[in-house]
């Protein structure tokens, strides 16, 4: 399980080296503290899994087919997702406003001393990385009645889990602006998205995202701003090694706290090649870039 937990935030196989602490972390915490330590994972997965939805502003009729790789980097600023407040412990007198790292927090073990007997209680370190990256292919088909559909799919074999990590998703976008905006250059687009990242018998993440995007489409260039409501849920179910021998089950369910998101983006289409970028604000902040090609109008 040590090599699996870091595939949960995104398909970040490059981060596996940090995972040697996973079994230790699960022995550090239980109950509400365990939930507080891992819950930020649901926040960062929810925001990042919906990054890069924009292919172009679907403002006019005309068939087009595009394929691109959506890459993103997620940054966690401030302390909201990096720290949590541990439960009170009669054996240790926590200082005022004491905080311990979450899974996304600093890679530092925090100790609290019992001044009476000199013992110390340790709180597990976090991942300690400045940002996390991901990548997934996306196929977009449009525009029909100023509507387009985008599909995502990725399968990564995980030998240690005797299975494959899968990312499947779909998005439908429709230009509401066609009904009341006179200018053909401007659009108000409603996007509905569903994403799922799953590893059988280990974890299952799913998320729904509703986005309203206002922007302008030129022949080769577009830009937009967007607001969104998003809901994500991460279910975990796997075994880990207990201190002193034996195994225990880690069965939990986490939901995201960052329900609202907003951001800006822009894109360029040159001779069939597309380059798009967008930034999702609030916490976490997700920067996404997409490179691909387009056939058609």
């Amino acid at each position: 399980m040590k090599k699996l937990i870091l595939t949960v935030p995104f398909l970040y196989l490059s981060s596996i080296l940090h995972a040697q602490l996973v079994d230790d972390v699960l022995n550090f915490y239980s109950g509400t503290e365990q939930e507080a330590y891992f819950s930020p994972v649901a926040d960062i997965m929810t925001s990042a899994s919906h990054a890069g939805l924009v292919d172009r502003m679907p403002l006019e009729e005309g068939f087009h087919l595009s394929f691109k790789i959506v890459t993103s980097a997620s940054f966690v600023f401030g302390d909201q997702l990096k720290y949590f407040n541990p439960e009170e412990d009669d054996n240790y007198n926590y200082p005022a406003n004491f905080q311990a790292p979450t899974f996304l927090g600093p890679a530092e073990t925090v100790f609290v001393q019992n001044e009476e007997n000199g013992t110390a209680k340790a709180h597990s370190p976090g991942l300690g990385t400045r940002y996390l990256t991901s990548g997934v292919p996306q196929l977009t088909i449009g525009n029909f009645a100023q509507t387009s559909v985008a599909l995502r799919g990725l399968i990564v074999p995980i030998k240690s889990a005797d299975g494959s990590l899968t990312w499947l998703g779909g998005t439908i976008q429709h230009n509401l602006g066609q009904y009341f905006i006179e200018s053909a250059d401007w659009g108000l687009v409603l996007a509905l998205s569903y994403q799922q990242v799953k590893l059988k018998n280990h974890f299952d993440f799913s998320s729904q995202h509703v986005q309203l995007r206002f922007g302008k489409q030129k022949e080769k260039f577009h830009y937009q701003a967007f607001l969104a409501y998003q809901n994500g849920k991460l279910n975990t179910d796997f075994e880990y090694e207990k201190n002193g021998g034996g195994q225990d089950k880690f069965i939990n369910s986490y939901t995201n706290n960052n329900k609202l998101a907003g951001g800006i983006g822009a894109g360029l289409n040159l001779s069939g090649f597309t380059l798009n970028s967008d930034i999702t604000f609030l916490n976490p902040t997700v920067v996404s870039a997409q490179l691909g090609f387009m056939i058609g109008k």
Side-chain angles (χ1 to χ4, degrees), residues 171-183:
T171 304
I172 183 169
Q173 303 179 79
H174 181 68
N175 181 24
L176 299 177
Q178 64 179 305
Y179 304 116
F180 55 87
I181 298 178
E182 295 183 0
S183 174

Side-chain angles (χ1 to χ4, degrees), residues 211-230:
Q211 182 184 109
L212 194 61
R213 186 169 68 251
F214 181 69
K216 188 172 186 178
Q217 175 74 57
K218 291 292 190 179
E219 183 179 356
K220 300 294 183 182
F221 179 75
H222 76 256
Y223 55 87
Q224 78 279 333
F226 60 89
L227 292 174
Y229 176 83
Q230 54 192 9

Side-chain angles (χ1 to χ4, degrees), residues 64-237:
H64 76 266
L65 180 70
S66 73
F67 177 82
K68 63 183 179 181
I69 300 296
V70 179
T71 61
S72 68
S74 301
F75 301 83
V76 179
F77 299 108
D79 294 342
Q80 182 181 3
L81 299 181
K82 290 182 179 180
Y83 296 94
F84 74 97
N85 296 104
E87 293 182 320
E88 293 185 5
D89 191 325
D90 294 337
N91 296 319
Y92 298 91
N93 185 19
Y94 287 126
N97 300 320
F98 176 80
Q99 292 184 312
T102 67
F103 182 80
L104 300 178
E108 300 175 356
T109 304
V110 179
F111 295 92
V112 178
Q113 278 196 315
N114 184 328
E115 296 181 357
E116 295 183 0
N117 57 26
T119 61
K121 181 179 180 179
H123 294 271
S124 176
L127 189 61
T129 187
R130 295 175 58 189
Y131 59 90
L132 298 174
T133 58
S134 69
V136 63
Q138 177 172 297
L139 176 68
T140 303
I141 305 171
N143 292 313
F144 306 99
Q146 300 198 32
T147 302
S148 66
V149 176
L151 303 174
R152 292 181 176 182
L154 183 66
I155 300 177
V156 180
I158 305 293
K159 292 183 179 180
S160 58
D162 193 25
S164 296
L165 186 69
T166 61
W167 183 337
L168 299 174
T171 304
I172 183 169
Q173 303 179 79
H174 181 68
N175 181 24
L176 299 177
Q178 64 179 305
Y179 304 116
F180 55 87
I181 298 178
E182 295 183 0
S183 174
D185 291 339
W186 292 90
L188 182 66
V189 177
L190 176 66
L192 307 176
S193 175
Y194 176 82
Q195 306 293 324
Q196 183 182 64
V197 183
K198 185 176 182 180
L199 182 59
K200 187 177 180 180
N201 297 328
H202 289 86
F203 68 85
D204 186 343
F205 168 77
S206 61
S207 180
Q208 303 81 39
H209 180 96
V210 180
Q211 182 184 109
L212 194 61
R213 186 169 68 251
F214 181 69
K216 188 172 186 178
Q217 175 74 57
K218 291 292 190 179
E219 183 179 356
K220 300 294 183 182
F221 179 75
H222 76 256
Y223 55 87
Q224 78 279 333
F226 60 89
L227 292 174
Y229 176 83
Q230 54 192 9
N231 186 59
K233 186 174 184 179
L234 173 64
N235 297 316
T236 62
D237 184 357

Side-chain angles (χ1 to χ4, degrees), residues 1 12 27 55 95 97 125 157 177 191 203 212 243 262 282 291:
M1 191 54 225
Y12 304 139
N27 282 286
D55 187 72
N97 300 320
F203 68 85
L212 194 61
N243 287 339
L282 303 182
L291 177 65

